[in-house]
Amino acid sequence: MTETVSPSQGVHGVISVPGDKSISHRYAMLASIADGTSQIYNYSSGADPHSTLACMSALGISHEISEQDGRQILTIHGRGLHGLQSPGRILDAGNSGSTIRMLSGILAAQPFEATITGDDSLVKRPMRRIMTPLLQMGGHILATNEQFPPLRIQGSPLHGIDYELPVASAQVKSCILLAGLYAKGETIVREPVITRDHTEIALRELGADITIQPRQVRVRETAQLAGKTLVVPGDLSSATFFIVAALVLPGSDLILTNVGLNPTRTALLDVLRGMGANIKLLHIEEINGELIGNLQVGTSRIRGGTIEGAVTAAVIDEIPALAVLGAVSEKGLVVRNASELRVKETDRIDAIAKNLLKMGITLNTTEDSLEIPGSQTFRAAELDSYGDHRIAMAFSIAALAADSASLIHGADAASVSFPEFYATLRQITK
Ligand code: S3P
């Protein structure tokens, strides 16, 4: 699908974004292996979290979606840690790295064999990073060329390990912790830099035997998780596209409600404020151990800057949007230590570079960095999502700041995390 995006004077209004993608995956998996019923409010409408739900259905977990006072409620009928059933068909994770990587941790411990795969993008993404620790725990996994999906997982008894993550990855950490629920003894995961901690928080909420310390999590074989009511905060990574639009377009004033503000996700706000962004936090509360608040964003003079080291890891999903911001910032943006961008839904360094060049923006890239000089202007262009949701949305925002209408080919990729993206865009640019 191709979307036409015309330049806009500014963005205005009060909007919400879909439920957080990362948290939605975790709640669906954990509610499935908890005892009893869980009601989940604001579950992400994105295709990825629905791939997780479809996998859990294939594993014998029933769910239904109902409506109460205009709010959608996902009810999952958990069958306990040992209640999953052999799927009888290949599990399809679609485009979702989180689904295949995290669910593999659960599958590795089941008393049956399961095969899990995904779309053309997912079958090119590295899985060795989860296979190595799972094999150390006693798991049995076969992969194409020993690293790519499909993964054929023969469930087996596992034992705890003490594992230091070689890459900063919350998906790998989560995979090991989920396997650790079933593993004999204690499982310890140490991380070189802090990554999102939604799995740890959710495990604690549902009653797992877990100890959370900075850059170190311990989980013990757990007898039971207890299903409960859960509320998914809005996705800050999805909000980022509209935050950048409001910062860049003159005369903007945008309020985003009920956005997740977990401190392991808000490095984005620190980076933006450090560059001069006018972002106010209007209200904040805690639900299920996660912080949720409202943000107000106004047009700002953005200086630009450098993102590197642990900060790069902390804003990895926001870099497509930050690259767009960087081109129109005063001094430009440098992003270093970003080799992980090469193995996301597409090679994002390449996709960002190609689309920026199409819009007349100069930049330099290396294997793990981007250097985008500032004070440039966007020329309208025919852009491509390269099948990647965040590339589609980031360049739709760039198109709002261009000199005439741009075309975004493959714009439907946005529905992986944010099916309502273009409707919301039209609402705030009216
Ligand atoms: C995610 C972790 C990150 C992130 C992805 C979602 C998660 O991936 O990029 O969009 O839900 O844990 P990595 O774990 O590969 O860094």
Side-chain angles (χ1 to χ4, degrees):
M1 192 187 82
T2 298
E3 280 280 349
T4 303
V5 178
S6 300
S8 169
Q9 279 312 306
V11 290
H12 307 272
V14 181
I15 58 168
S16 59
V17 290
D20 187 88
K21 180 163 80 69
S22 293
I23 296 175
S24 295
H25 287 299
R26 287 151 170 88
Y27 284 177
M29 287 181 204
L30 290 174
S32 296
I33 56 170
D35 282 315
T37 295
S38 293
Q39 291 203 312
I40 305 178
Y41 288 80
N42 201 35
Y43 191 80
S44 167
S45 51
D48 268 11
H50 283 267
S51 292
T52 292
L53 274 182
C55 288
M56 300 325 294
S57 294
L59 290 162
I61 303 300
S62 63
H63 69 260
E64 67 262 351
I65 296 171
S66 55
E67 224 180 89
Q68 197 184 65
D69 306 328
R71 294 171 85 189
Q72 270 204 351
I73 307 170
L74 166 66
T75 302
I76 295 186
H77 301 283
R79 289 169 50 98
L81 279 156
H82 302 283
L84 298 180
Q85 290 168 1
S86 168
R89 60 177 152 99
I90 292 178
L91 299 170
D92 184 3
N95 192 241
S96 175
S98 299
T99 306
I100 193 168
R101 294 203 179 109
M102 295 199 288
L103 190 52
S104 293
I106 295 176
L107 293 174
Q110 301 306 311
F112 51 76
E113 184 183 296
T115 298
I116 183 163
T117 190
D119 68 8
D120 291 348
S121 153
L122 195 68
V123 296
K124 294 189 201 105
R125 296 185 62 190
M127 296 297 144
R128 197 75 218 165
R129 54 183 63 192
I130 55 154
M131 291 172 67
T132 300
L134 289 177
L135 295 175
Q136 280 180 25
M137 295 176 87
H140 295 280
I141 306 174
L142 294 175
T144 306
N145 293 333
E146 298 187 0
Q147 57 175 329
F148 298 115
L151 302 180
R152 210 171 101 199
I153 305 176
Q154 177 62 61
S156 56
L158 303 180
H159 53 81
I161 53 169
D162 184 340
Y163 194 76
E164 169 121 18
L165 296 180
V167 275
S169 167
Q171 291 174 354
V172 178
K173 172 176 64 175
S174 303
C175 168
I176 302 168
L177 293 175
L178 293 174
L181 291 173
Y182 295 89
K184 225 170 127 204
E186 188 175 50
T187 298
I188 306 173
V189 185
R190 301 172 200 271
E191 47 184 8
V193 297
I194 291 173
T195 66
R196 62 194 71 189
D197 63 357
H198 306 302
T199 304
E200 299 88 300
I201 291 175
L203 281 170
R204 191 178 59 199
E205 280 292 296
L206 301 192
D209 189 349
I210 187 162
T211 312
I212 308 172
Q213 287 169 328
R215 294 194 287 115
Q216 184 184 311
V217 194
R218 293 163 184 259
V219 68
R220 296 192 71 84
E221 183 175 5
T222 294
Q224 196 186 38
L225 299 174
K228 66 186 291 188
T229 298
L230 297 160
V231 179
V232 183
D235 197 322
L236 179 59
S237 300
S238 298
T240 302
F241 303 104
F242 297 122
I243 294 174
V244 168
L247 292 174
V248 163
L249 299 170
S252 294
D253 186 9
L254 194 64
I255 292 179
L256 300 110
T257 59
N258 297 322
V259 181
L261 296 171
N262 174 313
T264 62
R265 296 285 293 281
T266 50
L268 167 80
L269 300 179
D270 302 333
V271 164
L272 290 174
R273 286 193 178 116
M275 292 180 181
N278 168 13
I279 302 176
K280 289 195 191 93
L281 198 61
L282 299 182
H283 167 78
I284 191 157
E285 62 184 311
E286 190 181 317
I287 306 181
N288 302 127
E290 295 281 353
L291 297 179
I292 303 188
N294 297 341
L295 298 175
Q296 181 171 27
V297 190
T299 313
S300 307
R301 268 181 66 179
I302 299 295
R303 283 186 291 276
T306 298
I307 297 172
E308 58 191 343
V311 181
T312 301
V315 298
I316 197 77
D317 288 345
E318 289 77 65
I319 286 172
L322 288 169
V324 167
L325 181 68
V328 295
S329 68
E330 287 174 4
K331 296 195 173 124
L333 179 74
V334 177
V335 182
R336 298 202 182 100
N337 314 115
S339 58
E340 277 294 301
L341 289 179
R342 297 272 184 202
V343 291
K344 289 293 177 189
E345 286 81 332
T346 188
D347 176 339
R348 285 188 179 155
I349 292 185
D350 196 48
I352 289 168
K354 283 188 178 136
N355 279 332
L356 285 179
L357 286 170
K358 286 180 198 173
M359 300 189 88
I361 303 292
T362 60
L363 78 161
N364 281 315
T365 63
T366 68
E367 194 43 39
D368 73 341
S369 72
L370 289 151
E371 200 168 319
I372 308 166
S375 304
Q376 306 192 64
T377 49
F378 292 117
R379 204 167 62 208
E382 275 199 41
L383 303 160
D384 203 314
S385 73
Y386 300 98
D388 185 319
H389 55 134
R390 299 200 202 279
I391 298 294
M393 294 187 276
F395 283 90
S396 298
I397 300 304
L400 292 178
D403 52 354
S404 63
S406 296
L407 297 178
I408 321 286
H409 296 305
D412 41 313
S415 64
V416 156
S417 57
F418 198 166
E420 308 82 356
F421 176 79
Y422 287 100
T424 309
L425 192 71
R426 280 188 273 278
Q427 182 194 328
I428 62 175
T429 51
K430 265 203 302 250

